[in-house]
């Protein structure tokens, strides 16, 4: 290993951490930080299997860079796109690294309603034998096909329920995100995944999709926020993430105390820490299914995303049968958590304002306790003199919402 390379890399890490105060790095192709040759001398005839095998020298290289990061910026986060042997990833995760966990194929199969290759268990660090929840599970990335594209193109159908329907397809993403985001450990949502982006990774700027267009610019879909089903997906993901950050429930997502059955058409998972419980279930089939589930605690469980007395569930502590319609999912908490649902929009939801007035008064609706604009203003309205995007975040109690024009 070149000492010059080691020194240069450490200096680059220090520069960004110290001078720009970033909180960490995500390293692409981290498995390439190795001194083990797995190709011939011309760079051909490479063995991916050998490259992916446990490599003690590569582990030592990464540990040195981790130590550098912690020395220069304690608590900084290194994320590796590694995809090496699990024994190597266990050792790195134990040292403090977060590692990518690609579950695109499994979530795609489940979301499309098919019963092969649809087990979601490997998205859990416990399933991989890790001591810490350091797996960054994701269903979409810049390297993978969009799940909603697959839903609309190849989704299953039965008895009037059709996943290819553009009103149904985003609901299948809600179902998938309810399982993924309610699992311990960090998660990744790819750009526009929160609104069901459905342009193929192979979309061309003109003409039909082609693998030659894989890295072409893809269309921006800001208008998707105005589509009711996609907006609802966006809101659901926001509510799930708020539960992750809730002071009562946050400890569950750094816990490994999860039980699950993610290999069937109805998928179920339960996390508990002391007397706090979270139960999530979802039907990935295209027909109604019943399942026998034992809640970890007896008593009242609150339907987090659909609160109300009629939607609560009374658990007995024994196995109970629950029937879910196709695509239906439920997120239950045994501690009541207020649902944030502000439905805040600027300019009545329209993304563009054309005006000859200068300054133009851009106002948020009244009634919120706090306003925070992208330019630092904290008033209900601002004066706009130049063309651009303007963002406002409003607060009401412990809830907040953001919109932009």
């Amino acid at each position: 290993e070149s000492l010059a390379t080691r020194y240069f890399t450490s200096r680059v890490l220090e520069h960004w951490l110290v001078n720009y105060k970033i909180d960490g790095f995500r390293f692409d192709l981290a498995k390439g930080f190795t001194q083990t040759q797995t190709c011939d001398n011309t760079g051909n005839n490479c063995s991916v299997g050998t490259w992916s095998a446990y490599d003690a020298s590569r582990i030592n290289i990464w540990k040195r860079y981790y130590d550098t990061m912690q020395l220069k910026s304690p608590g900084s986060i290194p994320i590796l796109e590694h995809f090496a042997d699990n024994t190597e990833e266990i050792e790195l995760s134990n040292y403090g690294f977060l590692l990518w966990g690609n579950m695109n194929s499994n979530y795609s199969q489940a979301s499309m309603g098919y019963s092969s290759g649809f087990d979601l268990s490997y998205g859990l660090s416990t399933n991989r034998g890790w001591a810490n929840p350091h797996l960054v599970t994701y269903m979409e990335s810049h390297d993978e096909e969009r799940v909603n594209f697959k839903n609309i193109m190849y989704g299953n159908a039965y008895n009037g329920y059709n996943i290819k329907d553009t009103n149904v397809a985003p609901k299948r993403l809600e179902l998938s995100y309810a399982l993924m985001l309610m699992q311990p450990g960090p998660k990744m949502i790819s750009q526009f995944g929160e609104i069901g982006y459905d342009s193929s990774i192979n979309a061309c700027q003109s003409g039909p999709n082609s693998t030659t267009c894989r890295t072409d610019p893809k269309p921006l879909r800001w208008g998707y926020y105005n589509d009711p089903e996609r907006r609802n997906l966006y809101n659901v993901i926001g509510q799930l993430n708020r539960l992750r950050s809730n002071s009562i429930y946050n400890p569950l997502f750094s816990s490994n105390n999860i039980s699950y059955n993610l290999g069937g058409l109805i998928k179920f998972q339960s996390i508990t820490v002391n007397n706090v419980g979270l139960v999530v279930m979802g039907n990935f089939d295209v027909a109604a299914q019943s399942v026998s589930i034992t809640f970890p605690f007896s008593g009242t469980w609150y339907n987090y995303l659909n609160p109300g007395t009629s939607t609560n569930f009374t658990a007995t502590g024994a196995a109970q049968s629950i029937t879910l319609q196709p695509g239906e999912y439920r997120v239950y908490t045994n501690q009541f958590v207020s649902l944030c649902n502000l439905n805040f929009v600027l300019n009545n939801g329209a993304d563009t304002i054309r005006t000859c007035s200068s300054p133009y008064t851009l106002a948020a609706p009244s009634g919120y306790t706090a306003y925070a604009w992208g330019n630092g203003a904290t008033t209900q309205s601002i004066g706009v003199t130049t063309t651009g995007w303007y963002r406002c975040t409003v607060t009401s109690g412990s809830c907040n919402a953001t919109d932009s024009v």
Side-chain angles (χ1 to χ4, degrees), residues 41-52:
N41 290 334
T42 66
N44 297 308
N45 300 310
C46 301
S47 171
V48 175
T50 304
W51 181 36
S52 302

Side-chain angles (χ1 to χ4, degrees), residues 1-11 61 64-65 68:
E1 182 187 2
S2 166
L3 292 178
T5 300
R6 186 191 303 179
Y7 176 72
F8 173 77
T9 304
S10 297
R11 289 280 290 157
I61 290 171
R64 278 197 297 270
Y65 291 138
T68 296

Side-chain angles (χ1 to χ4, degrees), residues 208-318:
N209 295 346
S210 170
T211 55
T212 62
C213 300
R214 194 174 184 86
T215 58
D216 280 15
K218 303 301 184 245
L220 301 177
R221 302 297 190 191
W222 296 112
Y224 277 6
Y225 285 97
N226 298 322
D227 178 271
E229 294 300 337
R230 296 176 188 275
R231 185 75 184 198
N232 192 65
L233 169 63
Y234 174 84
N235 290 335
V236 165
I237 290 175
Q239 302 291 7
L240 294 173
N241 282 326
R242 289 185 184 95
L243 185 59
R244 288 179 65 93
S245 61
N246 179 272
S247 59
I248 297 174
Y249 274 86
N250 178 259
L252 273 66
F253 299 103
S254 56
S255 160
N256 270 339
N257 193 26
I258 182 171
S259 60
Y260 57 91
N261 183 349
L262 301 175
L265 289 167
I266 285 191
K267 303 184 187 298
F268 165 86
Q269 61 195 38
S270 170
I271 316 175
T272 58
V273 172
N274 299 322
N275 65 336
V276 178
L278 172 66
V279 170
V280 184
M281 63 192 76
N283 180 10
F284 285 81
D285 200 2
V286 289
Q289 292 282 347
S290 296
V291 64
S292 180
I293 294 178
T294 302
F295 281 69
F297 306 119
S298 61
T300 300
W301 286 77
Y302 303 94
N303 191 328
Y304 171 65
L305 293 171
N306 186 23
T309 303
S310 64
T311 61
N312 293 342
F313 186 83
T314 302
T316 63

Side-chain angles (χ1 to χ4, degrees), residues 106-146:
N106 302 67
Y107 272 99
S108 295
Q109 286 294 104
S111 186
M112 289 188 292
Y114 296 113
S115 56
S116 62
F118 73 142
D119 191 331
L120 306 182
S121 304
Y122 204 58
L124 295 171
S125 56
T126 50
N127 184 269
R128 302 185 182 206
W130 297 16
N132 302 299
H134 288 173
L135 184 67
V136 185
T137 308
Y138 63 89
M139 67 176 79
E140 295 179 324
S141 79
H142 64 285
D143 288 326
E144 307 295 341
E145 185 59 272
R146 293 288 185 158

Side-chain angles (χ1 to χ4, degrees), residues 157-170:
Y158 175 75
N159 199 26
Y161 180 83
N162 189 351
I163 295 174
K164 293 179 180 178
D165 187 318
T166 54
N167 290 319
V168 175

Side-chain angles (χ1 to χ4, degrees), residues 5-82:
T5 300
R6 186 191 303 179
Y7 176 72
F8 173 77
T9 304
S10 297
R11 289 280 290 157
V12 169
L13 298 176
E14 178 184 6
H15 174 76
W16 287 97
L17 290 170
V18 173
N19 295 315
Y20 290 91
K21 313 300 182 186
I22 67 171
D23 56 9
F25 298 92
R26 178 267 186 190
F27 295 92
D28 195 85
L29 204 64
K31 195 164 54 182
F33 280 61
T34 180
Q35 294 300 108
T36 303
Q37 183 173 333
T38 54
C39 301
D40 63 25
N41 290 334
T42 66
N44 297 308
N45 300 310
C46 301
S47 171
V48 175
T50 304
W51 181 36
S52 302
Y54 179 91
D55 185 339
S57 64
R58 178 168 55 208
I59 293 172
N60 290 333
I61 290 171
W62 274 116
K63 285 181 177 179
R64 278 197 297 270
Y65 291 138
Y66 179 91
D67 292 342
T68 296
M69 289 179 61
Q70 301 314 308
L71 177 65
K72 303 302 179 180
S73 180
S76 55
I77 302 170
I79 304 174
L80 305 183
E81 184 202 39
H82 208 59

